[in-house]
Amino acid sequence: MTAPAPGAVAAVAFDLDGTLVDLERFHHDAWLAAARQAGVTLTREQAQHRLPHLIGGPDPLVAAEIAALSPSGAPAAGILAAKHPAFDELVGRVPEIVPRAGVRTVLEGLRDRGVPLAVGTATGRDTALTVLRRAGLLELFGEARVVAAQDVPRLKPAPDVYLATARLLGVPAGRQLVFEDSATGAAAARAAGSPVVAVPTVHDPDYLRRFDELGALAVAGEWAEPDLTSLLDRLLGGDTRSATVRAAYVRA
């Protein structure tokens, strides 16, 4: 790899669920199932408005938010315990896990340029490795460069996961670019001091504005956006100014 320019991005870390693979609907369905067991019946739309941490977690906060709505006073620990097997069952029924469109092209392009890559996720290690393996992406990272829930003392939005990926990648957190789909994850990256680019699956305008408030460099609607490649070229070359990837999603 050619030595990066001073101040340039030298490594890249990726969130997993929602960012590399879109399994968010399974997380949401698992939460709705766990909520029903606690006597809380919500539609997906209601859940997005009444559970502030539904998108991006962390799971203990989502469980606590459901517990606060439970008419029977169901404990958060029990709700959390019900969610995990529900998620694993839903994912287990899927014959194939497919990365988001354009993800592999970006990952392989970075690998071919010699850019070190890591995953930072709030998902448990066994589940994260299984998802990456089934999606055909684990080989691009390696198990040693996957930071999972049990590897850090605090989950997102705390910075721990992205401080850990930066250590694994051998770069200062400020020279590690992070890709995230959730505002919670973007907050974790910014708290770690890392620049962040958002690739959300939720395109609600109010939600997208949160990325702007968090100082995301750009918000891309899809991985396959041609401007995303140009942005990566700029960042790897040392230009870390905010950028427009697509006007519908990014600050002007």
Side-chain angles (χ1 to χ4, degrees):
M1 175 182 175
T2 303
V9 164
V12 184
F14 299 81
D15 171 54
L16 175 56
D17 290 332
T19 301
L20 295 176
V21 294
D22 188 3
L23 299 180
E24 288 295 285
R25 68 187 185 279
F26 297 120
H27 282 287
H28 297 170
D29 286 347
W31 278 124
L32 295 180
R36 285 193 296 273
Q37 291 184 34
V40 180
T41 301
L42 298 168
T43 65
R44 286 188 188 222
E45 184 177 13
Q46 289 170 334
Q48 285 186 19
H49 286 91
R50 300 189 69 183
L51 306 175
H53 290 87
L54 179 69
I55 301 172
D59 281 1
L61 281 183
V62 183
E65 289 164 357
I66 294 172
L69 300 175
S70 173
S72 61
I79 295 169
L80 183 60
K83 185 263 182 176
H84 289 158
F87 173 76
D88 289 342
E89 181 181 353
L90 288 168
V91 173
R93 292 178 190 168
V94 180
E96 184 180 13
I97 295 177
V98 180
R100 285 182 63 182
V103 160
R104 180 172 286 281
T105 298
V106 171
L107 291 176
E108 291 178 347
L110 290 169
R111 178 201 61 188
D112 293 346
R113 295 173 71 161
V115 179
L117 309 176
V119 172
T121 178
T123 299
R125 171 164 290 277
D126 289 345
T127 299
L129 293 178
T130 296
V131 168
L132 285 165
R133 190 176 293 111
R134 289 187 60 195
L137 299 178
L138 186 58
E139 63 188 33
L140 295 171
F141 297 97
E143 292 188 17
R145 286 187 174 174
V146 177
V147 178
Q150 56 265 61
D151 298 324
V152 291
R154 297 176 300 170
L155 299 178
K156 303 170 187 179
D160 302 34
V161 66
Y162 289 124
L163 293 174
T165 55
R167 285 194 296 271
L168 279 177
L169 294 169
V171 300
R175 298 189 67 186
Q176 167 189 252
L177 176 65
V178 171
F179 280 97
E180 269 283 354
D181 74 299
S182 74
T184 299
R190 298 303 295 130
S194 296
V196 62
V197 171
V199 281
T201 57
V202 175
H203 294 156
D204 176 76
D206 289 336
Y207 191 74
L208 294 178
R209 275 193 285 273
R210 294 175 64 184
F211 293 109
D212 188 56
E213 294 164 0
L214 288 164
L217 292 178
V219 184
E222 300 292 344
W223 280 99
E225 291 292 341
D227 287 345
L228 191 55
T229 301
S230 329
L231 174 61
L232 279 169
D233 288 340
R234 283 180 41 200
L235 295 174
L236 292 167
D239 184 350
T240 57
R241 294 172 298 172
S242 298
T244 298
V245 172
R246 189 175 252 196
Y249 300 132
V250 193
R251 66 180 75 188

